[in-house]
Amino acid sequence: MNKILWFAFFCCSIGGILGCSSEKEIRTEVSSGWQFRQKDSGDWLPATVPGTVHTDLLANGRIEDPFYRMNELGLQWIDKKDWEYRTEFSVDDELINKKNQYLVFKGLDTYADIYLNGECIGSADNMFRTWKFDVSGKLKVGDNELRVVLASPTARGLEEMKRYGLRLPADNDQSERGGMGQDRVSVYTRKAPYHYGWDWGPRLVASGIWRPVIIEAWSGMKVEDVYIKQTEVTRELATLSADIRVKADVGQEVEIEITSDGRVLASGKKSLERGENNVSVPFEVESPRLWWSNGLGEQNLYSFKVRVTGVEGVVAEKEVTTGLRSLKLVRKKDQWGESFGFELNGVPVFAKGANIIPNDVFLPRANREVYEKMVSDAANANMNMLRIWGGGIYEDDVFFELCDKYGIMVWHDFMFACAMYPGNKEFLDNVREEAIDNVVRTRNHPCIALWCGNNENALAWRHGSPGGWGWKQQFTKEQQDTVFKAYYDVFHDLLPHVVSEYMPGCDYWPSSPMAGPEPTQHGLDGTTSGDQHYWGVWHGFRPLESYDEVTTRFCSEYGFQSFPEMSTIRTYAFPEDYDINSDVMKSHQRSYIGNGRISDYMKMYYRVPTDFEQFIYMTHVLQGLSTKMAIEAHRRNMPYCMGSLVWQLNDCWPVASWSTTDYYHKWKAAHYVMRDCFKEIIVAPKWRNDSMLVYVVSDRLQPVEAELSVDVMDFSGKIIYSEKSNVEIPANTSIVLTGMKRSFLLRGASGKDVFAVVRLTAGGKNVDEKNVYFEYHKDLNLPQEPELSILAREEGKQKYILVTANKLACNVMFALPDSTAFFSDNYIDILPGRTYKINVKTDVPLAEIERRIQYRYLR
């Protein structure tokens, strides 16, 4: 069959169902005609699959927007009910005549019974698994009815808790908000933990058919899976094997061929038995085009096709895409303790990135466009790593495809967070299948850098005695032993064995944070070894300068809150709600210390405005400052510290949180700061006692000749001191270029009236520039009314604004109200005597930009 005809078959539609078929296999998605209702009551209403009960109720006008004001509280009844979905789909003779017929649910949330033509064909009890049911002989030509009954996840969770006999700790489960009292049932159900609430998310315990439903039918033989195992990869040679899982209706001898770009890489004869066969075919790629992370090189990808040929010709084939690379976690003893960092293709890589949570409470709303925006936002902020946090989901395939494309390494937690979990056989068996499903599904993606058992479970348990999270005090000694055995069975036995068996060579880390995998290291925050979650800033109310005082080998969590911008606040609040202490604003602030922490930190560094909108803007400025100080501290400490992952990149609803881009993926000040602080080469000055130390940090793999300039000027632009020097920046490290006394720089001026501009140039181009202030901004004599001039210009098809000021204007934020706009630079200091050219991506006509543009600055 030629390629055009094959593609036409692949994209065919059968009976209103989007489907695909070839001569060997038929795959159809059951996506149309769905209806739903509360079980055994009410009318059947139109439904969307993939989808959720909440979004279907919303689409049918049965509930108000769960995100608006405090509507969430009135929707807690939904997870207490059972729901059912149904549809009809048509099957023809071609499909019926296939010997093997399966109904595959890519995601069921969570407890479900599945009925085909009135017969129960199976059940599901894990949101994270793929459920595959053999329906051979159960389908009929013509219309078939499919019905899915979804049980209440909270009612079933309560049953499981009572059956287990222990109330396990789950501090982030907002059970009281959900009408459950102290019954925190989330840990007994294999379902996204954040659905039950978190300190940045609502409690909206969803149900639904959240990923596609597929009918598969084939006869003869099928290649179920191909794993390109990378035994060893160097610049000269990639030693690989294709580990192939093949199902056959009858035993036979076949030839298996591996090709790429039309070139045969390996072939050989294999004897297959009836049923499932596992075959490994070794091959090599000389001088491979390596996959590199963002900033280090190209994201080269290979497509490998496995073709199985029998006596009747090609009987099965499958194509997979991967990138060839050597990626590993390096832990080596050194003079400080033990290193913790990633090495890609033999190069030590400083991990620059963020933690991610799911993009929405209602997961099917996160389409490819949303994922592309999230991952491209990370790449455009010069990130090279994202950590999938353990309280969310195993992300969609499209997420990993995009990380491959953009060069974003992925630290992947298994879905366990801030809790202790059951250890009965049924639970462990369920978790094992969940882990296998997701490791196998993602293992060909070159972006996968690490599998981690959980988020903060070990830390919380260890810190329960003495002080800390206080979990151990809830149990007798015998119960403590039971709880910890369950922990150890999952995270030190079951999960590492799954990773080792199904993705050999990939590193596993039991818990984050952790000083090390030995029993004496469990739950110890990594300062001289392992990884660290540093929350001294924020939870510990330590000053931002403490980022420089605390050592860390790899900071996998840290962060600071801000509110979303006003355009986002307007989507969930009335003007009468515009007070951070209003019920609505507090409902969209889930950290119990959040508003107080923001205000108290703001008093440390800035003047606190009384105007609500100016205060919202100032939370962005403050979050940006915290982010800058943290990243620069981590990068200055390279190679002792080899990772900086901010908490968090995104939001799952519009809320005040630690995110650097809000629910609508609008960049906050902190995201612009990350982009600048994660550049390949940065200058990172800091005050140490009465001296300014000028650090330079480089990720570049070659040394760089550059020029360093230091200018001290007043707020009108008058230079009071200037110095230039030639410097050499070593490859892939951090060094101090110079140190300068405060008094020497001030030359008799007051630190309240001047600032320093530290600039690094190379090849005539500005590499990086930082403004250094001698006092906190609250103590500066800043110009109260700097005059800004903004002119709009167009070059080609691009729109720009040209900005000048007569005096210093700090942290200037530009906005185009009531329209969508992205500014290439924002929240920036506008220095007198300069012109700033800023690209504006917007549909607002050029002639309207000057009239409509607004800005805010530090007062």
Side-chain angles (χ1 to χ4, degrees):
M1 178 178 291
N2 68 47
K3 291 183 179 179
I4 295 176
L5 185 57
W6 186 89
F7 184 79
F9 270 97
F10 188 86
C11 298
C12 71
S13 177
I14 300 177
I17 307 166
L18 179 64
C20 55
S21 67
S22 70
E23 294 177 329
K24 305 301 177 185
E25 179 183 5
I26 295 174
R27 287 175 55 85
T28 66
E29 182 176 349
V30 184
S31 60
S32 63
W34 284 95
Q35 298 175 310
F36 86 115
R37 66 177 183 180
Q38 189 175 321
K39 185 184 176 187
D40 298 329
S41 65
D43 298 329
W44 288 96
L45 300 171
T48 300
V49 171
T52 72
V53 170
H54 286 77
T55 48
D56 284 333
L57 288 170
L58 179 62
N60 282 278
R62 300 305 172 100
I63 63 172
E64 298 296 322
D65 182 357
F67 294 170
Y68 188 63
R69 302 194 83 221
M70 298 175 67
N71 287 343
E72 167 206 357
L73 291 174
L75 304 179
Q76 298 304 310
W77 61 273
I78 297 173
D79 62 71
K80 314 300 188 295
K81 304 296 183 181
D82 298 341
W83 301 87
E84 55 185 334
Y85 282 71
R86 73 177 184 185
T87 191
E88 288 188 349
F89 60 93
S90 182
V91 169
D92 61 12
D93 288 323
E94 181 187 9
L95 191 148
I96 287 293
N97 289 330
K98 298 293 184 183
K99 184 174 181 179
N100 304 280
Q101 302 163 15
Y102 293 93
L103 187 60
V104 182
F105 289 85
K106 297 289 187 180
L108 285 165
D109 185 8
T110 294
Y111 297 103
D113 294 321
I114 297 91
Y115 296 84
L116 179 62
N117 296 324
E119 177 187 353
C120 183
I121 60 171
S123 300
D125 62 357
N126 189 323
M127 174 182 178
F128 304 125
R129 288 175 59 181
T130 296
W131 296 92
K132 189 171 184 176
F133 304 102
D134 189 343
V135 294
S136 303
K138 302 181 187 298
L139 295 170
K140 59 184 181 181
V141 174
D143 291 339
N144 292 259
E145 184 190 53
L146 178 60
R147 188 164 65 98
V148 178
V149 179
L150 298 160
S152 159
T154 48
R156 286 290 296 271
L158 190 59
E159 293 173 10
E160 294 299 329
M161 182 179 75
K162 291 177 179 177
R163 184 177 295 114
Y164 192 63
L166 280 177
R167 287 177 175 267
L168 296 170
D171 291 358
N172 285 283
D173 185 326
Q174 298 171 8
S175 55
E176 292 184 353
R177 180 175 285 265
M180 302 285 291
Q182 294 300 308
D183 293 332
R184 297 186 173 98
V185 301
S186 54
V187 294
Y188 304 92
T189 295
R190 292 312 296 150
K191 173 174 171 59
Y194 82 109
H195 277 170
Y196 297 82
W198 218 267
D199 57 3
W200 37 257
R203 183 184 173 93
L204 291 165
V205 187
S207 294
I209 306 171
W210 72 289
R211 280 178 171 160
V213 183
I214 306 292
I215 297 173
E216 296 179 353
W218 56 275
S219 296
M221 192 173 298
K222 181 185 179 185
V223 178
E224 292 273 359
D225 184 68
V226 175
Y227 171 41
I228 304 299
K229 184 164 65 178
Q230 304 188 28
T231 305
E232 184 178 12
V233 176
T234 67
R235 298 168 192 262
E236 294 74 35
L237 184 69
T239 304
L240 314 169
S241 68
D243 291 358
I244 308 161
R245 188 171 77 246
V246 187
K247 282 191 174 180
D249 287 340
V250 295
Q252 57 182 291
E253 186 170 286
V254 299
E255 182 172 357
I256 298 180
E257 186 178 73
I258 314 295
T259 63
S260 180
D261 295 328
R263 185 165 60 94
V264 177
L265 301 176
S267 64
K269 295 189 179 299
K270 301 286 183 180
S271 293
L272 302 183
E273 298 179 351
R274 182 177 180 273
E276 186 168 287
N277 299 263
N278 291 292
V279 177
S280 184
V281 180
F283 64 100
E284 295 178 341
V285 175
E286 295 181 354
S287 301
R289 305 185 306 275
L290 298 179
W291 183 89
W292 290 95
S293 60
N294 184 32
L296 278 185
E298 297 297 318
Q299 289 74 55
N300 296 300
L301 298 174
Y302 282 80
S303 291
F304 296 104
K305 179 176 286 187
V306 174
R307 181 177 289 116
V308 183
T309 304
V311 293
E312 298 177 355
V314 176
V315 292
E317 59 186 9
K318 189 176 184 67
E319 189 168 5
V320 296
T321 299
T322 190
L324 304 183
R325 86 290 183 268
S326 170
L327 179 53
K328 58 186 178 181
L329 174 66
V330 176
R331 294 168 47 229
K332 288 183 178 180
K333 298 294 182 183
D334 56 26
Q335 64 267 42
W336 304 292
E338 184 180 75
S339 68
F340 189 104
F342 292 90
E343 183 182 281
L344 176 62
N345 301 324
V347 176
V349 180
F350 188 97
K352 303 180 291 189
N355 294 259
I356 65 166
I357 63 172
N359 277 311
D360 207 302
V361 172
F362 308 119
L363 291 159
R365 298 206 294 205
N367 57 24
R368 186 181 185 93
E369 181 181 2
V370 170
Y371 275 109
E372 181 104 36
K373 183 68 168 68
M374 177 179 72
V375 178
S376 65
D377 280 347
N380 290 333
N382 296 309
M383 296 185 195
N384 60 22
M385 177 172 278
L386 292 173
R387 174 182 174 228
I388 299 177
W389 166 77
I393 60 168
Y394 302 92
E395 283 291 356
D396 273 3
D397 293 340
V398 66
F399 169 79
F400 301 102
E401 293 168 9
L402 291 167
C403 287
D404 293 344
K405 169 185 172 181
Y406 285 98
I408 305 296
M409 298 179 290
V410 174
W411 168 317
H412 203 320
D413 286 3
F414 286 95
M415 291 303 112
F416 303 89
C418 302
M420 301 303 278
Y421 291 85
N424 53 301
K425 184 178 185 303
E426 295 79 8
F427 186 87
L428 295 179
D429 289 346
N430 201 352
V431 168
R432 175 175 169 78
E433 294 305 315
E434 163 193 322
I436 293 171
D437 276 1
N438 288 286
V439 170
V440 169
R441 178 172 66 90
T442 60
R443 61 187 177 178
N444 278 315
H445 291 283
C447 62
I448 300 291
L450 179 75
W451 283 98
C452 177
N454 66 74
N455 173 80
E456 295 185 349
N457 299 15
L459 175 73
W461 184 252
R462 185 182 184 99
H463 280 194
S465 178
W469 292 36
W471 287 357
K472 287 185 180 178
Q473 290 88 325
Q474 304 172 27
F475 303 103
T476 66
K477 178 61 169 65
E478 182 180 0
Q479 290 172 334
Q480 289 178 18
D481 292 342
T482 298
V483 173
F484 187 74
K485 183 181 185 303
Y487 169 87
Y488 201 88
D489 286 346
V490 174
F491 303 112
H492 290 264
D493 185 14
L494 189 157
L495 293 178
H497 279 94
V498 168
V499 174
S500 176
E501 181 178 356
Y502 291 92
M503 197 175 176
C506 185
D507 288 292
Y508 173 83
W509 190 240
S511 181
S512 180
M514 181 174 275
E518 299 303 319
T520 57
Q521 298 174 303
H522 292 178
L524 292 178
D525 224 349
T527 54
T528 60
S529 63
D531 72 312
Q532 181 185 55
H533 294 185
Y534 181 63
W535 288 106
V537 170
W538 188 262
H539 289 293
F541 196 44
R542 297 191 63 185
L544 303 184
E545 288 81 0
S546 71
Y547 283 121
D548 260 315
E549 299 164 3
V550 176
T551 61
T552 177
R553 303 311 299 258
F554 190 106
C555 202
S556 45
E557 272 193 30
Y558 63 91
F560 199 96
Q561 272 202 357
S562 71
F563 284 84
E565 65 176 68
M566 283 304 304
S567 62
T568 294
I569 290 175
R570 292 187 183 99
T571 68
Y572 66 79
F574 284 151
E576 53 261 41
D577 302 322
Y578 293 172
D579 181 328
I580 63 169
N581 292 312
S582 72
D583 289 340
V584 169
M585 293 302 290
K586 287 194 292 186
S587 185
H588 288 256
Q589 163 60 280
R590 290 305 168 85
S591 172
Y592 69 98
I593 62 171
N595 290 348
R597 275 291 187 269
I598 292 172
S599 296
D600 289 342
Y601 270 107
M602 196 178 294
K603 291 172 187 174
M604 282 188 194
Y605 297 95
Y606 299 101
R607 298 170 191 142
V608 181
T610 55
D611 175 74
F612 178 75
E613 294 196 19
Q614 183 73 5
F615 181 86
I616 295 301
Y617 149 78
M618 284 300 302
T619 71
H620 295 180
V621 173
L622 178 61
Q623 184 191 32
L625 175 66
S626 177
T627 304
K628 173 182 181 294
M629 294 180 73
I631 294 173
E632 288 186 351
H634 298 152
R635 294 194 71 186
R636 278 193 293 260
N637 282 316
M638 178 185 177
Y640 182 92
C641 174
M642 284 301 290
S644 182
L645 306 182
V646 71
W647 182 269
Q648 69 211 56
L649 176 68
N650 59 327
D651 277 326
C652 66
W653 73 315
V655 66
S657 81
W658 295 266
S659 71
T660 64
T661 67
D662 72 12
Y663 174 68
Y664 299 103
H665 299 273
K666 300 172 187 174
W667 286 27
K668 300 180 183 178
H671 206 78
Y672 287 96
V673 166
M674 282 197 297
R675 181 190 65 184
D676 292 339
C677 291
F678 279 153
K679 289 191 297 188
E680 183 181 42
I681 300 175
I682 64 167
V683 60
K686 63 164 288 188
W687 289 110
R688 180 179 294 168
N689 300 323
D690 64 346
S691 293
M692 182 178 74
L693 302 183
V694 178
Y695 284 75
V696 65
V697 186
S698 176
D699 293 335
R700 192 171 292 182
L701 302 183
Q702 301 82 30
V704 176
E705 299 289 335
E707 181 182 75
L708 176 70
S709 66
V710 178
D711 295 324
V712 180
M713 66 179 71
D714 67 17
F715 299 153
S716 296
K718 179 182 176 182
I719 301 291
I720 66 172
Y721 172 75
S722 182
E723 178 182 302
K724 293 182 179 180
S725 58
N726 294 323
V727 295
E728 181 174 302
I729 304 170
N732 210 16
T733 194
S734 166
I735 62 166
V736 178
L737 291 180
T738 187
M740 310 177 80
K741 290 286 188 181
R742 174 188 174 95
S743 57
F744 175 81
L745 292 167
L746 285 174
R747 301 295 169 116
S750 169
K752 296 182 179 183
D753 298 317
V754 299
F755 66 108
V757 181
V758 181
R759 185 184 305 111
L760 197 68
T761 58
K765 295 182 178 179
N766 191 10
V767 174
D768 192 32
E769 179 178 294
K770 296 288 169 57
N771 298 333
V772 183
Y773 293 89
F774 292 82
E775 305 286 347
Y776 290 157
H777 279 76
K778 69 177 182 178
D779 298 319
L780 296 176
N781 295 321
L782 290 174
Q784 289 304 297
E785 296 295 337
E787 297 177 7
L788 266 66
S789 170
I790 302 176
L791 302 175
R793 293 288 184 268
E794 193 166 36
E795 295 180 13
K797 296 183 179 180
Q798 298 292 314
K799 298 170 186 173
Y800 296 88
I801 55 172
L802 304 179
V803 185
T804 58
N806 67 329
K807 296 178 182 179
L808 174 70
C810 290
N811 299 105
V812 179
M813 181 201 75
F814 302 99
L816 280 169
D818 304 318
S819 61
T820 300
F822 176 78
F823 295 84
S824 60
D825 282 305
N826 217 340
Y827 300 92
I828 59 173
D829 290 354
I830 303 295
L831 274 59
R834 289 197 192 177
T835 298
Y836 293 79
K837 183 178 180 180
I838 299 171
N839 181 237
V840 186
K841 297 186 184 303
T842 182
D843 291 332
V844 175
L846 185 70
E848 290 287 304
I849 291 178
E850 289 181 21
R851 182 178 66 83
R852 290 172 53 180
I853 197 166
Q854 295 181 3
Y855 59 87
R856 292 184 179 273
Y857 56 87
L858 211 61
R859 297 179 182 272

